[in-house]
Amino acid sequence: MLNGVILDVDGTVVRGDEALPGARAGLDLLEERGLRRLFVSNNPTKPAAAYEERFARAGFDVAAEEIVTAATVTTAYLDRHHAGADHFVVGEDGLRDILSAAGVSVTADPAEATVLVASIDRAFDYETLCTAMRVLADDSVAFVGTDPDMIIPAAEGDIPGSGAVIHAIAGVAGRDPDIVLGKPSAPARELVEARLGVDPRECLVVGDRLDTDIAFGAAAGMTTALVRTGVTDDATLATSDVEPDYVLDSLADLDAVDALS
């Protein structure tokens, strides 16, 4: 029996500010079944309140309390493991604002950094790459990634995500991140499970990515459903070591999940 559902956002429910085909029918079905729900996004640039507004523009009534992002996970992780550290952020102003608002010390001076946080940065350039390499030349500086998404679905089409920036920095620094947060990381699972308050064995995860959404659910012992409305095509599905319990054309097909039918 299912008592809760975790839903990815981009590529699963919306693309940009537009609802994806089948999203309304799927969310209505979950509401009819009375499942507790949580929307979990690997986007680290927007606070939950901004997602609430974005869902409203797409025609959905979603409260900020129902939304967890990679920024939520990153803030919690840094507060727990690097309290009092000075964080140099390779990322966008939205992430810096979220961290600062949560009391995380963010520095613009690379020489002060004791933690480097790497994330999606649409202004990422060669100078930024050089700076990150110099910061991480000091092995005592922690290297934290917000999320692993190499490609993300955007209104204008798929674009490079945080994973692309993290890999570029890791390549020149000659060291892997100490941790990459967001889905499917253990810190993300712990935070989401605590927020949802449902036994993982009674939870369904729905998303468009095998390496994040489906891997997240599989690691926690949840039922998993992949939707074809995002970045995963049949060729990727056929060669992946990560296998979802269900493959659906869209959220409208959630009634194919045995526990929901």
Side-chain angles (χ1 to χ4, degrees):
M1 177 179 178
L2 293 177
N3 288 315
V5 59
I6 296 167
L7 295 141
D8 177 52
V9 179
D10 296 285
T12 300
V13 183
V14 296
R15 180 180 281 269
D17 288 342
E18 298 294 326
L20 285 166
R24 168 58 65 191
L27 294 186
D28 285 349
L29 174 64
L30 296 173
E31 184 176 359
E32 290 171 10
R33 298 297 186 268
L35 270 64
R36 289 176 59 86
R37 69 183 188 183
L38 203 61
F39 296 86
V40 182
S41 170
N42 265 1
N43 186 331
T45 67
K46 304 290 185 184
Y51 266 91
E52 180 178 1
E53 295 170 0
R54 183 178 169 204
F55 275 120
R57 290 193 294 271
F60 301 118
D61 184 14
V62 177
E65 293 74 20
E66 298 179 280
I67 301 162
V68 171
T69 72
T72 313
V73 178
T74 300
T75 299
Y77 178 86
L78 295 176
D79 182 63
R80 180 176 181 181
H81 295 279
H82 296 286
D86 290 317
H87 302 77
F88 183 82
V89 177
V90 177
E92 302 190 348
D93 288 341
L95 175 60
R96 292 187 185 87
D97 291 344
I98 292 168
L99 295 177
S100 296
V104 175
S105 175
V106 176
T107 180
D109 184 353
E112 295 179 351
T114 51
V115 178
L116 184 139
V117 180
S119 183
I120 184 172
D121 182 1
R122 277 162 279 204
F124 186 72
D125 59 15
Y126 188 77
E127 182 178 353
T128 304
L129 187 60
C130 290
T131 301
M133 182 178 70
R134 287 192 289 269
V135 170
L136 292 177
D138 182 346
D139 290 338
S140 70
V141 175
F143 182 11
V144 176
T146 58
D147 65 278
D149 289 13
M150 293 293 291
I151 302 294
I152 56 175
E156 66 273 24
D158 293 345
I159 61 173
S162 298
V165 174
I166 294 167
H167 277 254
I169 293 172
V172 298
R175 55 183 285 199
D176 292 330
D178 299 305
I179 191 167
V180 178
L181 301 165
K183 297 173 290 186
S185 71
R189 293 198 305 272
E190 292 166 5
L191 189 153
V192 167
E193 288 174 15
R195 182 78 67 89
L196 188 61
V198 170
D199 186 321
R201 294 167 297 182
E202 300 172 355
C203 189
L204 170 69
V205 175
V206 188
D208 70 308
R209 302 183 67 100
L210 293 163
D211 58 343
T212 57
D213 305 314
I214 305 307
F216 175 96
M222 301 174 181
T223 302
T224 60
L226 178 82
V227 288
R228 300 178 185 270
T229 47
V231 301
T232 300
D233 57 21
D234 288 341
T236 302
L237 184 60
T239 59
S240 175
D241 293 331
V242 180
E243 296 185 9
D245 296 312
Y246 298 89
V247 178
L248 312 173
D249 286 336
S250 74
L251 288 179
D253 299 315
L254 278 172
D255 56 0
V257 175
D258 292 340
L260 293 176
S261 59

